[in-house]
Amino acid sequence: WKGGRFTDNYGYIWIFKPYHPFAHGQYVLEHRLVIEDSLGRTLTRKEKVHHLNGEKADNRVENLV
């Protein structure tokens, strides 16, 4: 157990959230959780989040659009 987070082979960080409505194998992409928190709602499956600087592990809200 590493605190419920891991980095995949593509450089994305996944967070353990087994009860999230869009969890994949009990994990959710961290950048989606950051945006959801800032918006105050769950994203839909069709909504995409992009990293402005291209660094997939840089999940600061100001780097996400």
Side-chain angles (χ1 to χ4, degrees):
W1 178 257
K2 296 181 180 179
R5 62 186 287 155
F6 73 93
T7 304
D8 68 15
N9 293 335
Y10 300 101
Y12 291 103
I13 298 172
W14 291 81
I15 305 293
F16 184 72
K17 292 282 184 185
Y19 300 109
H20 191 279
F22 301 119
H24 295 277
Q26 299 187 334
Y27 285 83
V28 180
L29 288 161
E30 183 180 53
H31 60 276
R32 292 185 61 87
L33 293 173
V34 170
I35 290 293
E36 287 178 350
D37 186 53
S38 76
L39 293 174
R41 66 175 178 84
T42 303
L43 295 174
T44 68
R45 288 192 190 274
K46 293 183 179 182
E47 291 178 298
K48 306 296 181 198
V49 180
H50 298 283
H51 295 85
L52 293 174
N53 67 5
E55 293 184 30
K56 298 169 186 169
D58 184 357
N59 292 320
R60 295 172 294 130
V61 71
E62 57 269 14
N63 186 47
L64 301 172
V65 63

